[in-house]
Amino acid sequence: MEIIIPEEKITKVLSADICVIGGSCTGVFAAVRAARLGAKVILVEKANRFGGVATCGLVGMWHSLFDMECQKQIIGGLTYEMLDRLDKRGAVSGFRTPAESLEYGIRFNSEELTLELDELVLEHENIRFFLNTSFSRVIGEETGRVDAVILENKSGRFAVKADVFVDASGDALLCRGAGLPLWKSDKPQPPTSCARFSNWNTLGQHDLKELVEKYRSELPDLPCGYFWSMDIPGTPDMMFAGTRVLNCDCSDGEAISNAEVTARRQIRALMDMYRREFPENRLSLNSLPSAVGIREGDHITSCGKLCGDELLAGTYFDDTIGHGTYPVDVHGTDDDSITFWRLSGDKFTYHAQKLVCQERWLPEGEILPHYNIPLSSLIPADAVNVISAGRMIDADRKAFGAVRVMVNLNQCGEAAGVAAWLALHRQCSISQTDHNEVRQLLNNGSSCIIEPKETSK
Ligand SMILES: Cc1cc2nc3c(=O)[nH]c(=O)nc-3n(C[C@H](O)[C@H](O)[C@H](O)COP(=O)(O)OP(=O)(O)OC[C@H]3O[C@@H](n4cnc5c(N)ncnc54)[C@H](O)[C@@H]3O)c2cc1C
């Protein structure tokens, strides 16, 4: 059966220099960097708030801004600026020194981040934003060139024409619409719904994994993920992550609908378990995410795929636009395993929350101070006026396991915003932007783009 959509004239057409699709921190930071350089920006987000997984997904954890030698700050820019703003509201744990953040990460209150992202966007008069608005299709006649995008919200359908577009949709929706080639991992990382709890302390000391195994046959929906939790600064609450929906294709609409319900049933089973085991406890479930947290969907095919071996060799790229220290962290697609390649040189594999393998991937005594992220891994091959930023980055399984975290993707967002502005300013295609100029502009905006220590690629 087929349905042909009749031709439709769109009469509401807005224009901008740059249009950003997707308003997680990645997209907001792209919009803000372009706006600070003087561009007129339209920012589109389908949720009712900015922040993506960090707000809608309740994941209030960023990672260290310092290198592994604790010598140098390697991440600055809007990540630092946002943390500083959250600090003024008592909504973040320590992040200014390596000692505060290297071990346990930087924890923040997702709701306060929501408020602060609103303020950040509002401070830029040249950003016009649409929340509760979905990008639906691309208008363009040539592969890789987007003339306009069609958006939908409660006012109906309308269009945005722009010179350059940033795809920060997570799922590479704009790139897909522009006919640009995408690829899928054969072992994509699974989605997870987090949950926020009050009165976790009334449970007392217990071994969660043992409890889950004890109740598994009674409560088959109990989660099998790698469990971690964090306190939420300024509140008595806990955020818990540990659900895992196995074998889910997160770029498929129906699969993701099922994943929403499956992950929530895992949280429900967890509550049932605690009620049975500790009848006197006062644990209460106080929020669920408004969208399941997606770790991995489709990836772009770029001008420069980032490979795990290069990443873990600390390869410096001429077009490096960001740095990170978060380990390669790969969650099993079809089981409860997780493997970490830490930059300290240790590799750990856990199964059922138990350490099953520990070895060195670096010679004894060596560490990798940080790795680098190239701009070319964000630029789709054949793109004329489209750049991506976010988890659709062109990175192989190992490299993606590391770069996928937010402090890294925030830097990609900033770089995409700057590159988009430069393409506009120089009237060139996105792949012709001069990466040295991008790097210079990033540094001018307080990013920490450091000079090569090792061989250039
Ligand atoms: C459970 C879980 C735990 C994690 N833990 C951590 C952690 O501790 N620390 C860390 O740094 N990272 C963590 N990650 C990884 C990290 O959160 C993600 O990789 C990252 O948030 C992806 O950022 P993104 O901007 O690419 O995508 P997203 O955050 O998914 O943002 C995409 C945005 O685009 C919007 N969008 C999508 N489609 C449309 C459309 N059609 N129109 C308009 N807007 C649209 C979405 O609503 C969303 O706001 C975790 C991920 C998960 C799932």
Side-chain angles (χ1 to χ4, degrees):
M1 193 165 66
E2 272 186 354
I3 291 185
I4 308 287
I5 301 176
E7 273 191 16
E8 182 185 352
K9 189 187 271 183
I10 304 276
T11 51
K12 180 173 170 182
V13 181
L14 308 179
S15 64
D17 296 325
I18 295 169
C19 176
V20 179
I21 302 297
S24 65
C25 291
T26 317
V28 170
F29 289 3
V32 167
R33 289 304 286 252
R36 286 185 180 174
L37 290 165
K40 189 174 149 200
V41 180
I42 289 183
L43 172 61
V44 183
E45 168 52 50
K46 78 172 176 189
N48 75 336
R49 65 191 62 195
F50 299 115
V53 171
T55 57
C56 298
L58 304 178
V59 179
M61 168 80 79
W62 285 354
H63 296 97
S64 174
L65 311 183
F66 294 88
D67 73 351
M68 294 294 289
E69 287 164 330
C70 304
Q71 299 282 324
K72 198 180 280 169
Q73 187 178 336
I74 57 165
I75 301 173
L78 287 164
T79 299
Y80 186 89
E81 190 175 319
M82 185 48 67
L83 291 170
D84 191 47
R85 296 169 75 125
L86 290 172
D87 196 23
K88 294 193 172 93
R89 301 177 67 82
V92 68
S93 65
F95 62 93
R96 294 182 204 276
T97 64
E100 287 171 302
S101 56
L102 262 178
E103 181 99 4
Y104 298 110
I106 303 163
R107 287 149 285 134
F108 56 82
N109 183 334
S110 293
E111 309 304 324
E112 293 272 6
L113 177 66
T114 300
L115 303 181
E116 232 24 56
L117 286 168
D118 287 347
E119 294 308 306
L120 179 67
V121 170
L122 286 169
E123 283 158 18
H124 297 83
E125 285 178 359
N126 47 344
I127 300 181
R128 183 169 179 186
F129 62 90
F130 291 91
L131 291 171
N132 296 314
T133 302
S134 278
F135 153 81
S136 65
R137 60 177 289 198
V138 163
I139 305 293
E141 310 217 316
E142 193 190 322
T143 300
R145 179 186 289 283
V146 177
D147 298 325
V149 287
I150 303 299
L151 308 177
E152 310 205 14
N153 64 19
K154 61 162 48 181
S155 318
R157 267 187 208 139
F158 63 107
V160 171
K161 278 174 89 69
D163 293 294
V164 190
F165 290 81
V166 178
D167 184 347
S169 65
D171 292 317
L173 299 177
L174 179 74
C175 292
R176 187 194 292 175
L180 291 163
L182 305 178
W183 61 272
K184 274 184 204 308
S185 166
D186 55 355
K187 286 184 175 291
Q189 299 223 22
T192 291
S193 280
C194 300
R196 187 166 167 167
F197 295 95
S198 298
N199 302 323
W200 188 274
N201 56 351
T202 65
L203 295 170
Q205 285 292 335
H206 64 283
D207 183 330
L208 175 54
K209 189 66 205 175
E210 270 176 22
L211 264 191
V212 165
E213 289 323 314
K214 176 175 161 191
Y215 281 93
R216 169 98 43 219
S217 53
E218 229 176 282
L219 298 166
D221 289 324
L222 277 168
C224 74
Y226 175 78
F227 303 138
W228 65 273
S229 58
M230 52 164 258
D231 58 294
I232 302 169
T235 79
D237 298 341
M238 288 283 290
M239 189 285 276
F240 170 84
T243 67
R244 184 178 286 192
V245 181
L246 302 177
N247 298 306
C248 178
D249 176 356
C250 291
S251 52
D252 180 272
E254 191 168 3
I256 213 68
S257 296
N258 287 323
E260 295 277 9
V261 173
T262 304
R264 285 199 288 266
R265 293 187 90 182
Q266 294 179 13
I267 294 166
R268 188 172 190 270
L270 196 77
M271 291 301 291
D272 289 345
M273 178 191 82
Y274 278 130
R275 287 188 180 118
R276 287 180 204 184
E277 181 69 15
F278 304 112
E280 303 302 314
N281 85 76
R282 287 185 288 110
L283 182 72
S284 68
L285 177 59
N286 84 25
S287 359
L288 290 170
S290 56
V292 64
I294 297 181
R295 288 194 177 80
E296 187 168 15
D298 287 350
H299 293 273
I300 63 157
T301 303
S302 74
C303 315
K305 190 187 198 107
L306 180 59
C307 298
D309 292 345
E310 290 171 317
L311 180 118
L312 288 179
T315 306
Y316 200 91
F317 306 95
D318 292 338
D319 62 343
T320 293
I321 48 79
H323 317 285
T325 57
Y326 186 71
V328 172
D329 160 3
V330 179
H331 292 243
T333 305
D334 45 21
D335 62 19
D336 60 4
S337 67
I338 188 165
T339 302
F340 296 100
W341 282 256
R342 296 195 182 281
L343 271 57
S344 59
D346 296 306
K347 180 178 169 195
F348 299 100
T349 300
Y350 297 84
H351 253 291
Q353 217 75 5
K354 291 195 185 79
L355 183 64
V356 291
C357 180
Q358 179 174 359
E359 58 194 355
R360 293 280 303 168
W361 63 269
L362 274 176
E364 209 51 59
E366 276 186 31
I367 65 164
L368 176 65
H370 66 82
Y371 50 77
N372 305 300
I373 308 167
L375 181 66
S376 48
S377 61
L378 310 178
I379 301 181
D382 301 329
V384 181
N385 65 343
V386 182
I387 184 164
S388 77
R391 58 181 158 77
M392 74 286 269
I393 188 170
D394 195 11
D396 71 11
R397 188 161 191 255
K398 212 190 236 182
F400 181 69
V403 294
R404 67 187 181 83
V405 295
M406 292 181 266
V407 287
N408 294 341
L409 300 182
N410 292 348
Q411 295 174 86
C412 295
E414 293 183 64
V418 167
W421 178 82
L422 210 52
L424 173 81
H425 190 61
R426 298 260 178 255
Q427 291 291 297
C428 64
S429 77
I430 204 84
S431 56
Q432 286 166 339
T433 52
D434 177 349
H435 51 75
N436 286 323
E437 251 186 295
V438 174
R439 288 156 49 87
Q440 188 57 52
L441 286 165
L442 284 168
N443 266 337
N444 296 350
S446 73
S447 298
C448 303
I449 305 299
I450 53 187
E451 289 309 315
K453 271 209 305 207
E454 288 150 29
T455 43
S456 204
K457 195 189 162 195

